[in-house]
Amino acid sequence: MSAAPPTPQTPTPRQPTVTEAEARRVAEAAREQNWHKPSFAKELFLGRFRLDLIHPHPTPTPEATTRGEDFLARLRTFCESDVDSARIEREARIPDETVRGLKELGALGMKIDTKYGGLGLTQVYYNKALALAGSASPAIGALLSAHQSIGVPQPLKLFGTDEQKERFLPRCARTDISAFLLTEPDVGSDPARLATRAVPDGDDYVLDGVKLWTTNGVVADLLVVMARVPASEGHKGGITAFVVEADSEGVTVENRNAFMGLRGLENGVTRFHQVRVPAANRIGPEGAGLRIALTTLNTGRLSLPAMCAGAGKWCLKIAREWSAVREQWGRPVAYHEAVGAKISFIAATSFALEAVVDLASQMADEDRNDIRIEAALAKLYGSEMACLMADELVQIRGGRGFETADSLRARGERGVPAEQMLRDLRINRIFEGSTEIMHLLIAREAVDAHLSVAGDLIDPDKSLSDKARAGANAGVFYAKWLPRLVAGPGQLPRSYTEFHPPGHLDLSAHLRYVERCARKLARSTFYAMSRWQGRMETKQGFLGRIVDIGAELFAMSAACVRAEWLRAEGDHGREAYQLADAFCRQARLRVEELFGRLWANTDDLDRRVVKQVLSGAYEWLEEGVVDPSTEGAWIADATPGPSQRENVRRPFC
């Protein structure tokens, strides 16, 4: 007997109901509209392989290197002696004394300027520190990253007033932990439906609403809160950012959430009821909240792939050590081809992922390029590849990979937390923009040049005169652009020969491949836009593959540039060339598969199956099982009002 279909939930009166077009307009208004600086990734999607934008590899200044290496040495000592990762996993919390030690090190202020009491590290060394701390305990990496990458310090650094910086940054650098509150129970990546309100009242705003998945929110002292200001006389209104004291009257942490991984994560549900926030705590003007959030994430997203790169290094270390001692059929398992292929993938991908993160971070520090696409690609690629590496490590370890570190230790073996690593990494495909949302975000930026010149042609709301002007502009643009996609340096055998130095493998062939694929990628995008026009935005499968191809090409470029940089520096150059060559050969197979799936796929069939699933046509297939889920709403009620629950906020002592 099949279960009755679920009763549809209607939005509560508090929940703004918006159309798809309205949601799109909100998202479009929030994104940065102009390109004032060059972008390697943007050019790549347009079919132009601008190697000059990333080669020679940018390098940190001697002062930045000295400062960064000094802190990394102190952080390493602390992580090795004062971080008990097994205890954090077992107790599902970071001990107060560990957090005190991080504060004494200055780890809360790694990215904060020295004049505010911070360490003033570059993006490169900040990311290296997160990779190191995250390898000791992913929960500590998440704590530090959420505090500095998206919490109070970063938006204030970019958009805060001098007075706000003087008030809050010294606290964030030394004592106070911050959190970023955007998501709501029924609002994820669709901010147009944001329901938390900030109503102007004299010199204050009064906040009401509920925020979900508030990383650091359970222990935070300061909060960045996104709330909707209603338009009124003297108030433009719109989604706006505020700094809120976490101990303000009316702020209640109603629940500390628990997850499959990151068990030490202090993530919860926070309710605001009639919380008064001074207007002086507003970050930027009214209505600028989403733009502030997206701009903050341009570099803030780099922290996540940095920790993924650290995870890849750890996976390689364990795979190497284990596979050398574990014997089957008379030899170490590493020398059996099925296992060896996995180790090769982990090694090559670890090299490439570090190359992507370091390159994007150096570009952020130099500030010569617009890296919004590069940072998004790094987040997307890092989160996906790290999960694959951890999964392969579990497979290499076999039953021991599935067994917990505590269980291994209890029976006398080395406590290797491989299964924990896999669980901890899984959230990265969702954190700070899910893979699916990242595909759409990057795709929107990748086709920006096309929409700038031809967008009005496919916009049903535009007049005939607008379409005529767009047609003329598009004709000029494409008359110059399309012929350049026919041929390029990738077809010339002598191109990029500096990447084939004597005595080393030939990486120039891989760069020629990237150049050819960039032009093919641009041609494919143009053909798809011509074919589907206004329906292009609904072709999410196609757009996702376009972005994935671009991510692979970016990673190949970064790997080759890093290998040549290390060779020139005399730092494991030969080995770096070997790893870059292996990665590029593996990536080329993935790229060819993705190109094939652009036009040969099951996208249309999948859409038909989904309609049948949702209509209940396949409910008979669900028979023969029981559902252990508890009763309850799919989405918790978040109606504004006073909290009816105990405040479980627990600031560190």
Side-chain angles (χ1 to χ4, degrees), residues 101-114:
L102 291 169
K103 292 180 179 181
E104 291 168 3
L105 271 177
L108 295 189
M110 288 186 285
K111 284 191 71 177
I112 297 175
D113 195 286
T114 54

Side-chain angles (χ1 to χ4, degrees), residues 169-283:
L169 291 185
R171 292 170 56 183
C172 292
R174 303 186 187 103
T175 59
D176 289 13
I177 291 171
S178 67
F180 175 79
L181 280 60
L182 171 62
T183 305
E184 299 178 357
D186 199 23
V187 179
S189 299
D190 181 9
R193 299 171 63 242
L194 196 78
T196 298
R197 287 165 60 87
V199 179
D201 183 19
D203 293 331
D204 297 336
Y205 290 84
V206 179
L207 267 63
D208 280 281
V210 178
K211 295 294 186 179
L212 175 63
W213 296 324
T214 62
T215 298
N216 286 0
V218 178
V219 297
D221 305 285
L222 292 170
L223 312 171
V224 175
V225 181
M226 296 292 168
R228 184 184 302 278
V229 177
S232 62
E233 185 177 352
H235 291 275
K236 175 186 176 183
I239 298 173
T240 305
F242 299 90
V243 178
V244 180
E245 299 280 356
D247 62 357
S248 298
E249 184 177 353
V251 178
T252 305
V253 178
E254 295 190 329
N255 194 67
R256 181 183 188 265
N257 304 325
F259 303 97
M260 68 179 286
L262 285 181
R263 289 180 176 167
L265 192 70
E266 297 290 353
N267 179 296
V269 177
T270 302
R271 177 179 292 271
F272 299 89
H273 175 61
Q274 298 290 291
V275 179
R276 301 194 74 85
V277 180
N281 285 24
R282 189 188 68 217
I283 308 174

Side-chain angles (χ1 to χ4, degrees), residues 528-606:
M529 292 187 67
S530 302
R531 174 179 175 180
W532 291 315
Q533 298 185 31
R535 292 184 295 125
M536 179 78 161
E537 65 182 27
T538 68
K539 304 297 181 179
Q540 295 180 4
F542 177 89
L543 292 172
R545 295 177 200 110
I546 286 288
V547 169
D548 285 340
I549 293 170
E552 294 284 4
L553 299 181
F554 177 42
M556 290 175 67
S557 304
C560 291
V561 168
R562 184 175 183 83
E564 172 56 20
W565 175 45
L566 293 176
R567 184 201 68 81
E569 295 290 314
D571 188 8
H572 303 293
R574 187 176 303 278
E575 295 82 5
Y577 258 66
Q578 292 168 353
L579 288 168
D581 178 65
F583 172 77
C584 287
R585 291 180 184 277
Q586 294 169 9
R588 286 168 77 152
L589 296 177
R590 295 191 291 267
V591 169
E592 290 303 312
E593 179 186 359
L594 287 165
F595 267 124
R597 289 176 56 212
L598 286 179
W599 311 111
N601 53 65
T602 62
D603 291 350
D604 290 338
L605 172 61
D606 295 340

Side-chain angles (χ1 to χ4, degrees), residues 257-593:
N257 304 325
F259 303 97
M260 68 179 286
L262 285 181
R263 289 180 176 167
L265 192 70
E266 297 290 353
N267 179 296
V269 177
T270 302
R271 177 179 292 271
F272 299 89
H273 175 61
Q274 298 290 291
V275 179
R276 301 194 74 85
V277 180
N281 285 24
R282 189 188 68 217
I283 308 174
E286 290 181 356
L290 284 184
R291 185 182 296 272
I292 289 171
L294 291 178
T295 305
T296 296
L297 285 171
N298 281 345
T299 54
R301 281 198 176 99
L302 290 174
S303 63
L304 194 149
M307 289 185 284
C308 289
K313 288 172 175 284
W314 183 83
C315 289
L316 177 60
K317 178 179 184 294
I318 298 301
R320 172 181 58 80
E321 294 175 351
W322 165 250
S323 300
V325 300
R326 174 62 167 167
E327 291 191 0
Q328 290 283 277
W329 299 299
R331 54 178 176 165
V333 295
Y335 294 112
H336 291 285
E337 193 171 89
V339 175
K342 299 178 187 301
I343 297 172
S344 174
F345 166 75
I346 293 173
T349 306
S350 292
F351 177 82
L353 186 49
E354 184 174 44
V356 166
V357 173
D358 273 11
L359 178 61
S361 300
Q362 286 285 8
M363 293 167 72
D365 287 332
E366 285 194 342
D367 200 28
R368 289 189 297 110
N369 296 315
D370 187 324
I371 67 157
R372 72 182 88 159
I373 300 182
E374 287 84 347
L377 287 172
K379 189 276 175 189
L380 168 69
Y381 197 72
S383 60
E384 291 291 325
M385 301 308 276
C387 275
L388 289 176
M389 287 189 283
D391 188 63
E392 294 288 40
L393 176 64
V394 167
Q395 191 70 18
I396 291 170
R397 289 272 292 162
R400 290 173 174 85
F402 194 66
E403 192 173 0
T404 68
D406 275 349
S407 178
L408 289 164
R409 186 166 50 249
R411 60 183 183 78
E413 291 193 1
R414 182 174 173 179
V416 178
E419 59 84 30
Q420 180 192 335
M421 178 62 74
L422 182 58
R423 288 188 288 103
D424 288 344
L425 285 171
R426 184 58 182 83
I427 187 58
N428 293 331
R429 297 174 61 199
I430 301 170
F431 260 172
E432 297 179 20
S434 68
T435 291
E436 294 73 25
I437 291 299
M438 296 307 296
H439 277 150
L440 299 181
L441 184 152
I442 297 168
R444 172 61 186 86
E445 298 293 357
V447 300
D448 185 56
H450 298 287
L451 294 180
S452 296
V453 299
D456 287 355
L457 282 173
I458 58 177
D459 189 338
D461 296 329
K462 294 298 180 180
S463 65
L464 289 177
S465 59
D466 289 335
K467 291 180 182 293
R469 281 192 296 271
N473 292 334
V476 173
F477 174 79
Y478 289 119
K480 295 179 180 179
W481 179 69
L482 285 171
R484 295 174 184 172
L485 301 182
V486 177
Q491 295 165 294
L492 303 176
R494 300 293 297 171
S495 296
Y496 316 117
T497 52
E498 66 267 36
F499 288 85
H500 189 192
H504 288 73
L505 294 172
D506 183 9
L507 298 185
S508 67
H510 297 310
L511 293 178
R512 289 194 291 273
Y513 177 83
V514 171
E515 195 277 337
R516 294 195 303 272
C517 284
R519 287 186 282 111
K520 182 178 180 180
L521 186 64
R523 292 195 301 269
S524 300
T525 304
F526 176 75
Y527 172 72
M529 292 187 67
S530 302
R531 174 179 175 180
W532 291 315
Q533 298 185 31
R535 292 184 295 125
M536 179 78 161
E537 65 182 27
T538 68
K539 304 297 181 179
Q540 295 180 4
F542 177 89
L543 292 172
R545 295 177 200 110
I546 286 288
V547 169
D548 285 340
I549 293 170
E552 294 284 4
L553 299 181
F554 177 42
M556 290 175 67
S557 304
C560 291
V561 168
R562 184 175 183 83
E564 172 56 20
W565 175 45
L566 293 176
R567 184 201 68 81
E569 295 290 314
D571 188 8
H572 303 293
R574 187 176 303 278
E575 295 82 5
Y577 258 66
Q578 292 168 353
L579 288 168
D581 178 65
F583 172 77
C584 287
R585 291 180 184 277
Q586 294 169 9
R588 286 168 77 152
L589 296 177
R590 295 191 291 267
V591 169
E592 290 303 312
E593 179 186 359

Side-chain angles (χ1 to χ4, degrees), residues 137-157:
S137 167
I140 290 178
L143 173 82
L144 296 174
S145 173
H147 165 62
Q148 293 172 85
S149 298
I150 58 176
V152 171
Q154 188 67 9
L156 283 192
K157 176 183 176 181

